[in-house]
Amino acid sequence: MEAAIAQRVQYPSWVDCRKLERKPLNSLRYAQRAKEEKRFRGLALAHLLPDKRNERARSVSSEVSCSDKNSSALLQAGSVHSFDEDLILKASNNEYPFRKAEEVKPYLHGRSMYLVGMMGSGKTTVGKLMSKVLGYSFFDCDTLIEQAMNGTSVAEIFEHHGESFFRGKETDALKKLSSMYQVVVSTGGGAVIRPINWKYMHKGISIWLDVPLEALAHRIAAVGTDSRPLLHDESGDAYTVAFKRLSTIWDERGEAYTNANARVSLENIAVKRGYKDVSDLTPAEIAIEAFEQVQSYLEKEETMEIPDGDL
């Protein structure tokens, strides 16, 4: 499995974390002050020198605001297709995801990120955006498995080889990915059920995209269940079938998702931003929340590393 993946996918250069500059312990607590000083210097220079980036931002401001809102449609589909790529990149031109990524990146020390969540939660869409603004490489675990199986789709793998076979390939892929740094990985919805997978994912930072089941059912019903092997065999109203099956899957996996280092609740984001429905959220808004939750996790992790005598 590892050899097959390596042959078909060009992985980024391996980075030794020990060679990455370490920020001093407790530095996150003083990052805000440094950021404000840097911002002040930037504002002062802006009066003396032309800012090409700002000129570019102004030229595309209307395009970005439009594309960023429209990109919420990608989340409703729960997956990203080739024709969505430009839309994601346009969304990433929004200054806020870039700004938040710049704040968090120095404290990641090259650690990878693994997005987990139920099927249709938008892991691929948000993961691509996060990798873009971080300057990381992006991998979709299901796609790696399909490539290793000579292009056989996940649904076909389930049909011809069974779920157990697929889960084994999934673990092989995560094992390979766990040896890499500076990557964002979108995992399959069921990756959380194997404890060994958590061992690999916890070599980086795991992020749970927590989406209400009703929203997931609407997304999946809108695009069909052909690509969802755990839903495809049932008949009836698309939404009802999706919601019923998702509820069963949640009962089986819900607790496992809580093993993630950071939780991104779309309901909480919607409340903070005054939205009536999580479907109104854009990938950029979800990515910003993900970075904020990662930063919160890193702060807690850093505090735990401080010897008692230094507190």
Side-chain angles (χ1 to χ4, degrees), residues 64-73 91 275 279-283 285:
V64 170
S65 62
C66 177
S67 64
D68 195 37
K69 279 296 180 184
N70 289 341
S71 61
S72 63
Y275 297 155
S279 63
D280 294 328
L281 295 170
T282 67
E285 289 169 329

Side-chain angles (χ1 to χ4, degrees), residues 22-34 106-107 109 295-311:
R22 292 286 298 182
K23 295 288 183 180
L25 286 176
N26 216 27
S27 56
L28 275 173
R29 299 178 182 178
Y30 304 98
Q32 186 67 27
R33 181 184 303 172
Y107 307 101
H109 308 301
Q295 183 171 353
S296 177
Y297 166 72
L298 291 173
E299 289 173 347
K300 293 177 182 177
E301 184 182 57
E302 188 175 72
T303 301
M304 293 176 63
E305 293 177 355
I306 301 174
D308 293 341
D310 295 340
L311 293 176

Side-chain angles (χ1 to χ4, degrees), residues 1-11 144 147-148 176 180:
M1 172 65 181
E2 296 176 15
I5 292 179
Q7 290 173 358
R8 301 176 192 282
V9 182
Q10 183 63 46
Y11 289 105
L144 290 179
Q147 291 173 340
K176 181 66 178 181
M180 300 164 55

Side-chain angles (χ1 to χ4, degrees), residues 31-60:
Q32 186 67 27
R33 181 184 303 172
K35 184 187 72 172
E36 290 299 324
E37 291 175 355
K38 180 179 178 181
R39 179 174 176 271
F40 177 81
R41 291 194 298 269
L43 290 174
L45 288 173
H47 291 287
L48 303 175
L49 299 173
D51 190 338
K52 294 182 179 180
R53 185 174 63 179
N54 285 345
E55 291 175 1
R56 167 60 181 161
R58 285 194 295 270
S59 70
V60 300

Side-chain angles (χ1 to χ4, degrees), residues 22-176:
R22 292 286 298 182
K23 295 288 183 180
L25 286 176
N26 216 27
S27 56
L28 275 173
R29 299 178 182 178
Y30 304 98
Q32 186 67 27
R33 181 184 303 172
K35 184 187 72 172
E36 290 299 324
E37 291 175 355
K38 180 179 178 181
R39 179 174 176 271
F40 177 81
R41 291 194 298 269
L43 290 174
L45 288 173
H47 291 287
L48 303 175
L49 299 173
D51 190 338
K52 294 182 179 180
R53 185 174 63 179
N54 285 345
E55 291 175 1
R56 167 60 181 161
R58 285 194 295 270
S59 70
V60 300
S61 60
S62 60
E63 176 187 21
V64 170
S65 62
C66 177
S67 64
D68 195 37
K69 279 296 180 184
N70 289 341
S71 61
S72 63
L74 301 183
L75 291 171
Q76 294 178 23
S79 61
V80 177
H81 304 286
S82 58
F83 55 80
D84 296 323
E85 187 70 23
D86 289 341
L87 194 54
I88 292 178
L89 296 184
K90 287 178 183 178
S92 67
N93 284 330
N94 184 301
E95 63 173 322
Y96 297 108
F98 274 112
R99 184 185 302 172
K100 200 63 192 177
E102 288 176 355
E103 291 178 17
V104 175
K105 187 175 180 178
Y107 307 101
L108 292 173
H109 308 301
R111 292 164 72 178
S112 298
M113 295 184 177
Y114 296 84
L115 298 181
V116 302
M118 294 279 284
M119 63 177 78
S121 59
K123 299 183 293 291
T124 298
T125 305
V126 176
K128 282 190 174 184
L129 177 51
M130 292 180 70
S131 68
K132 172 68 178 179
V133 297
L134 281 171
Y136 278 22
S137 298
F138 174 80
F139 292 100
D140 183 287
C141 200
D142 285 354
T143 299
L144 290 179
I145 296 170
E146 291 175 339
Q147 291 173 340
M149 294 291 291
N150 299 315
T152 304
S153 69
V154 170
E156 291 173 329
I157 295 173
F158 267 72
E159 180 181 356
H160 298 296
H161 301 282
E163 182 175 359
S164 180
F165 176 87
F166 173 82
R167 296 301 172 200
K169 295 295 184 183
E170 186 173 56
T171 296
D172 290 341
L174 288 171
K175 180 180 180 180
K176 181 66 178 181

